[in-house]
Amino acid sequence: MTRRFALVRGSGISGTPKRARVLAALLSCLVLGTVATACATGDDAVATGGTFDFVSPGGQTEILYDPPADRGTIGNLTGENLMDEGQTLSLSDFEGQVVVVNLWGQWCGPCRGEADDLEKVYEATKDQGVAFLGINVKDPQRDKPQDFVTNYGVTFPSIWDPSMRSLGALGGSYPTSVIPSTLILDRQHRVAAVYLTALLADDLQPVVERIAAEQ
């Protein structure tokens, strides 16, 4: 299937204290030698279904997949609830909603930098039929990511996936080595946008609202 793409408005770092904090977090990961585009970890996952075929034209890190008819669906995304042991979270729990899927780890500086931005957009858009679903990766013990959620006031749920096994739902070509990254799924749970970088609310919210408004 031929796909058409448009680059999302850039998320430059200079100009505001918030952007400076995001830059500082990125640099801290670079010093540790743990970033590719942001922080890197693990191997790419194996596809487990769905029709989404990730493509990043020219190595772009912010991509829109348009028109909607050309979007692919991800596979069966499911896993254990980070905050509620024994409870399962699945993409199917959010039927008919736009879903913002964020891959994060408490060990990742840029993830800390974007946490309040994600929460801000979630609070601003949840009444428009938008859900957020985190996927916590590479945290072998639950207590540290649980503390992250509490300390940063994150109110949307996350799947606990230390082995990154659930990310097979994103397809074999999705660069799961890049943390943080974010996918925006439309109401049919087709991939409408991908960000392979930390996000600011001013960059994310307009795109989420536009996708939520699609007929």
Side-chain angles (χ1 to χ4, degrees):
M1 176 183 294
T2 300
R3 302 195 188 283
R4 293 188 283 276
F5 305 91
L7 181 63
V8 179
R9 181 166 57 88
S11 56
I13 299 298
S14 63
T16 69
K18 176 64 186 180
R19 293 177 191 274
R21 291 200 303 273
V22 172
L23 177 59
L26 287 168
L27 291 175
S28 71
C29 281
L30 282 168
V31 170
L32 293 171
T34 56
V35 303
T37 300
C39 287
T41 182
D43 298 322
D44 284 355
V46 177
T48 60
T51 62
F52 173 57
D53 182 19
F54 173 79
V55 178
S56 176
Q60 295 171 7
T61 60
E62 306 174 6
I63 310 108
L64 288 175
Y65 292 84
D66 283 313
D70 284 354
R71 296 171 185 165
T73 58
I74 67 172
N76 181 32
L77 177 59
T78 187
E80 188 174 352
N81 190 322
L82 171 65
M83 303 302 286
D84 294 302
E85 189 172 355
Q87 184 182 85
T88 298
L89 285 169
S90 299
L91 180 61
S92 59
D93 296 336
F94 307 101
E95 184 177 356
Q97 293 180 278
V98 171
V99 182
V100 179
V101 179
N102 176 251
L103 280 60
W104 66 278
Q106 61 81 27
W107 43 266
C108 172
C111 300
R112 296 190 289 272
E114 71 173 2
D116 58 339
D117 290 271
L118 296 175
E119 180 66 21
K120 180 179 178 180
V121 178
Y122 170 61
E123 290 292 337
T125 60
K126 63 183 181 180
D127 290 340
Q128 302 173 40
V130 177
F132 275 53
L133 178 62
I135 305 178
N136 169 248
V137 299
K138 288 293 185 178
D139 276 316
Q141 297 177 324
R142 302 172 76 105
D143 57 336
K144 290 183 178 180
Q146 287 175 338
D147 288 345
F148 179 103
V149 168
T150 300
N151 293 339
Y152 285 92
V154 177
T155 61
F156 57 85
S158 283
I159 290 172
W160 182 50
D161 186 18
S163 67
M164 304 180 78
R165 192 168 300 173
S166 71
L167 301 189
L170 306 184
S173 61
Y174 188 81
T176 54
S177 60
V178 180
I179 307 297
S181 68
T182 299
L183 301 87
I184 306 176
L185 311 181
D186 64 19
R187 295 187 189 276
Q188 297 181 43
H189 294 173
R190 300 171 299 185
V191 179
V194 170
Y195 295 85
L196 302 177
T197 184
L199 291 171
L200 299 173
D202 288 346
D203 298 316
L204 178 62
Q205 186 168 333
V207 180
V208 172
E209 291 180 336
R210 179 184 65 77
I211 294 168
E214 290 177 349
Q215 299 300 316

